[in-house]
């Protein structure tokens, strides 16, 4: 029996989770929420993580009903992510690892999402759509690497949604994307927006400038309501994502699709993906907000797989990096 | 006419059939229920037009592609020539890699570079270059490449768009066929020889786009 604890803090969520051989024992999380119209800045986010680290750690241990002695390995997010929040979380992981005299595993954030998705849904070898505030990638596994078939060539899909939420001054609680999703349900009138798909890649920046510029005018004139615009935005960007995922599935002859990352808990995106999958006799795997949104257990899960293959990091190498591509990691634990 | 479903691609369903006695492919861009109806209609029309236009322009420029037989916007179908005795370059590359046939891999890369150079010197942007979207007829020295799937294509003379076209291929090529960096360089080198006027600018853009490409992994 192997028990792993994972520390995640690459963006505005601080999560600490404990996993024992594929079973989540605890997974508490605290989110730094900014006022409407504002994003989260690295320094303030790091401060948030520092303030809550010990409480969350305590909660994780208590809920799992284990003592530090029982833990076999400490895992933390090495990257990609925002520098200051990453470092503030890594410091906690390094400190407890030395106090408890446990080995450390440095985990790639994206790999954490994929491994958690596979664990929770039981998907064997899916085409993965990884969508969050900082990442938009279509990934497929082959020959010991998670290979990126398509991605955004400018901003991430979650970033596009967040920034539009700021234009409308929507609340950031629980997340801007969630509030866009709710408002979009009331939308009726479709506004055609720029649609930019380049093979298996997508681009959102042109679309964002287009709608950012026109939204205030269209709403003021009463031609479109904020709900109409949220609906049109979601319909367009999700259609782009489903299309590139389908293209990758056709190219790789894959019959499984898995959605991970924060935007992945959007029910409408899941519904669209499910329809696409059904039309080609494929299966959709998705999870809910507990595991889609950044959390500690996903880092523990990926770390556990790495630990079993002997991929621990010496203390000198337990640094963080803002840029860390999914395909840089040698996936020793899969065939 | 009898239709046999042969493949469901990302764009639609492909049927094998006959058009006035000639073997043909019927490409049906069926209604995608996941898309908003207004968006679906607009995209489907756009892509059918794009595909028909590009097929014509390729043939006029001496680039091999299936002959276009009929376009029916109403039933969302394009009917075109079925290229007999061909496989996708994706399968062909795999076969050559399994046999460790370096000589034919090299000549394949040269052929791809040559076709793409000619495509771009005629200002045709394919929009979805992958090894699945190229067919190959014959084997080794006696083979010919036929480009297909022009739904995302358009015409432009700008280096940026040609650069993105090559970038899309590079990413698809390297992720589909691991450890082929050297081979892709041969494609680019032959491309330069076949697109004399614009290749230099396109290569500069490609370099730029690759740098842009890396930035994205910053925040997670």
């Amino acid at each position: 029996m192997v028990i792993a604890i994972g520390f995640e803090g690459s963006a505005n969520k601080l999560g600490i989770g404990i996993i024992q051989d594929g079973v989540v024992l605890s997974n508490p999380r605290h989110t730094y929420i900014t006022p409407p119209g504002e994003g989260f800045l690295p320094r303030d986010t790091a401060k948030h993580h520092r303030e809550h680290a010990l409480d969350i750690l305590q909660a994780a241990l208590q809920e799992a009903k284990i003592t530090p002695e029982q833990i076999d390995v400490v895992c933390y997010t090495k990257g990609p992510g925002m520098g200051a929040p990453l470092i503030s979380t890594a410091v906690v992981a390094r400190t407890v690892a030395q106090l408890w005299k446990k080995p450390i595993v440095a985990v790639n954030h994206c790999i954490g999402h994929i491994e958690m998705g596979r664990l929770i849904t039981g998907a064997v070898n899916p085409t993965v759509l990884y969508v969050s505030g900082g990442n938009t990638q279509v990934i497929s596994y082959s020959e010991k690497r998670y290979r990126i078939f398509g991605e955004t060539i400018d901003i991430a899909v979650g970033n596009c949604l967040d920034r539009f939420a700021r234009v409308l001054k929507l609340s950031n609680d629980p997340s801007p994307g969630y509030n866009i999703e709710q408002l979009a349900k009331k939308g009726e009138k479709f506004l055609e927006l720029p649609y930019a798909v380049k093979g298996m890649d997508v681009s959102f920046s042109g679309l964002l400038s287009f709608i950012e510029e026109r939204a205030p005018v269209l709403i003021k004139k009463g031609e479109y309501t904020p709900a109409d615009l949220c609906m049109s935005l979601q319909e367009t960007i999700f259609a782009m994502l489903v299309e590139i995922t389908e293209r990758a599935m056709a190219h790789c002859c894959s019959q499984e699709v898995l959605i991970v990352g924060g935007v992945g808990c959007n029910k409408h995106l899941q519904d669209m993906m499910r329809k696409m999958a059904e039309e080609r006799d494929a299966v959709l795997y998705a999870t809910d907000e507990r595991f889609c949104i950044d959390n500690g257990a996903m880092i523990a899960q990926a770390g556990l797989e790495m630990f079993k293959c002997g991929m621990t990091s010496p203390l000198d190498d337990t640094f963080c990096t803002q840029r860390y591509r999914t395909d840089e990691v040698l996936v020793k634990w899969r065939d | 006419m009898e239709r046999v479903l042969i493949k469901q691609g990302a764009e639609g369903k492909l049927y094998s059939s006959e058009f006035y006695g000639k073997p043909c492919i019927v490409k049906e861009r069926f209604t995608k229920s996941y898309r908003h109806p207004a968006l679906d209609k607009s995209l489907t029309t756009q892509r059918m037009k794009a595909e028909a236009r590009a097929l014509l322009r390729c043939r006029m420029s001496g680039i091999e592609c299936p002959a276009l037989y009929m376009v029916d916007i109403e039933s969302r179908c394009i009917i075109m020539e079925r290229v007999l005795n061909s496989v996708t370059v994706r399968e062909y590359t795999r076969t050559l890699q399994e046999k460790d046939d370096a000589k034919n891999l090299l000549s394949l890369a040269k052929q791809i570079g040559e076709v793409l150079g000619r495509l771009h010197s005629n200002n045709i942007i394919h929009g979805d270059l992958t090894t699945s979207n190229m067919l190959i007829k014959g084997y080794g020295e006696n083979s010919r490449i036929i480009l297909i799937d022009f739904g995302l294509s358009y015409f432009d003379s700008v280096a940026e768009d040609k650069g993105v076209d090559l970038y899309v291929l590079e990413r698809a090529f390297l992720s589909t066929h691991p450890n082929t960096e050297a081979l892709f360089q041969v494609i680019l080198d032959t491309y330069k020889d076949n697109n004399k006027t614009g290749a230099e600018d396109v290569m500069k853009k490609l370099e730029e786009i690759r740098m842009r490409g890396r930035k994205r992994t910053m925040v997670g």
Side-chain angles (χ1 to χ4, degrees), chain A residues 311-327:
Chain A
M311 297 169 78
T312 53
S313 312
L315 194 62
D316 284 353
D317 290 342
T318 55
F319 57 90
C320 295
T321 168
Q322 300 198 101
R323 303 179 184 203
Y324 190 12
R325 281 178 77 81
T326 315
D327 50 12

Side-chain angles (χ1 to χ4, degrees), chain A:
Chain A
M1 281 201 300
V2 190
I3 298 181
I5 184 166
F7 292 79
E8 155 61 33
S10 63
N12 67 337
K13 276 75 106 185
L14 172 72
I16 301 175
I18 299 173
I19 276 205
Q20 175 178 13
D21 291 321
V23 180
V24 179
L25 301 181
S26 66
N27 199 13
R29 167 171 67 203
H30 199 279
T31 307
Y32 172 52
I33 293 171
T34 48
E38 284 178 32
F40 55 93
L41 300 169
R43 207 174 73 153
D44 305 332
T45 313
K47 185 164 169 268
H48 164 269
H49 290 1
R50 283 196 298 272
E51 280 167 1
H52 291 88
L54 293 180
D55 294 342
I56 300 284
L57 178 56
Q58 195 87 50
L61 289 168
Q62 272 171 4
E63 204 184 305
K65 296 190 181 68
I66 61 158
T67 55
E69 292 79 52
Q70 292 171 275
I71 291 171
D72 295 288
V73 58
V74 174
C75 318
Y76 77 101
T77 309
K78 179 179 172 187
M82 279 186 169
L86 275 173
I87 293 167
S88 65
T89 314
V91 165
V92 182
R94 273 199 298 267
T95 308
V96 297
Q98 290 178 89
L99 282 173
W100 302 339
K101 299 186 177 60
K102 306 290 179 188
I104 310 186
V105 175
V107 177
N108 178 303
H109 181 83
C110 317
I111 303 280
H113 274 295
I114 299 173
E115 290 307 333
M116 198 65 195
R118 288 179 60 225
L119 171 71
I120 297 293
T121 63
V124 183
N125 185 21
T127 298
V128 183
L129 175 67
Y130 170 29
V131 275
S132 68
N135 287 279
T136 307
Q137 297 179 334
V138 181
I139 302 157
S140 182
Y141 173 83
S142 89
E143 297 187 30
K144 301 278 168 202
R145 303 246 176 213
Y146 283 111
R147 298 185 192 270
I148 303 168
F149 278 78
E151 60 188 316
T152 170
I153 59 171
D154 39 58
I155 58 171
V157 56
N159 190 234
C160 180
L161 288 168
D162 291 356
R163 282 161 71 176
F164 186 62
R166 276 178 234 161
V167 173
L168 297 183
K169 294 274 187 321
L170 294 181
S171 164
N172 288 328
D173 187 15
S175 71
Y178 179 80
N179 293 316
I180 289 189
E181 182 183 356
Q182 303 315 313
L183 195 53
K185 288 178 183 165
K186 296 185 202 121
E188 284 166 6
K189 193 171 160 196
F190 182 73
L191 171 71
E192 192 156 344
L193 298 168
Y195 187 96
V197 164
K198 295 158 201 280
M200 287 181 265
D201 289 343
V202 285
S203 154
F204 297 113
S205 67
L207 186 157
L208 180 65
S209 331
F210 181 94
I211 196 167
E212 269 181 341
E213 206 173 281
R214 284 166 184 75
V217 186
L218 291 171
I219 293 169
K220 207 175 161 195
K221 279 202 269 178
E223 285 179 35
Y224 289 87
T225 64
D228 292 336
L229 296 178
C230 287
M231 183 270 283
S232 306
L233 180 68
Q234 278 203 148
E235 288 293 338
T236 309
I237 61 180
F238 291 168
M240 287 161 62
L241 293 175
V242 175
E243 181 180 346
I244 58 165
T245 310
E246 182 168 23
R247 192 158 288 129
M249 288 173 77
H251 183 68
C252 302
C253 305
S254 163
Q255 291 300 108
E256 286 184 320
V257 53
L258 169 68
I259 312 182
V260 300
V263 182
C265 58
N266 186 305
K267 290 276 186 303
H268 190 58
L269 174 61
Q270 292 184 5
D271 285 342
M272 288 170 73
M273 196 64 89
R274 187 173 296 111
K275 282 183 195 160
M276 179 276 280
E278 279 166 4
E279 276 169 358
R280 50 186 312 117
D281 297 322
V283 189
L284 167 74
Y285 294 96
T287 62
D288 58 31
E289 70 285 350
R290 285 171 303 166
F291 304 113
C292 253
I293 297 176
D294 295 351
N295 61 86
M298 69 184 222
I299 300 303
Q301 171 60 15
L304 197 64
E305 297 280 11
M306 293 170 75
F307 177 67
K308 286 183 194 161
C309 305
M311 297 169 78
T312 53
S313 312
L315 194 62
D316 284 353
D317 290 342
T318 55
F319 57 90
C320 295
T321 168
Q322 300 198 101
R323 303 179 184 203
Y324 190 12
R325 281 178 77 81
T326 315
D327 50 12
E328 279 176 44
V329 181
L330 185 67
V331 184
K332 281 191 192 167
W333 57 94
R334 283 188 68 175
D335 296 326

Side-chain angles (χ1 to χ4, degrees), chain B residues 119-177:
Chain B
L119 190 77
H120 282 179
S121 64
N122 284 290
N123 296 330
I124 306 169
I125 313 294
H126 184 281
D128 184 21
L129 287 172
T130 64
T131 44
S132 301
N133 288 341
M134 298 173 194
L135 300 178
I136 189 155
K137 213 175 158 158
Y139 193 91
E141 307 234 316
N142 300 314
S143 60
R144 278 147 44 215
I145 293 205
I146 297 127
L147 292 181
I148 55 167
D149 257 343
F150 284 89
L152 297 180
S153 72
Y154 56 98
F155 309 133
D156 210 316
S157 57
V158 184
E160 161 85 21
D161 296 60
K162 293 174 185 174
V164 172
D165 220 18
L166 292 181
Y167 177 68
V168 164
L169 176 67
E170 176 174 39
R171 293 265 316 292
F173 195 86
L174 298 181
S175 44
T176 316
H177 314 287

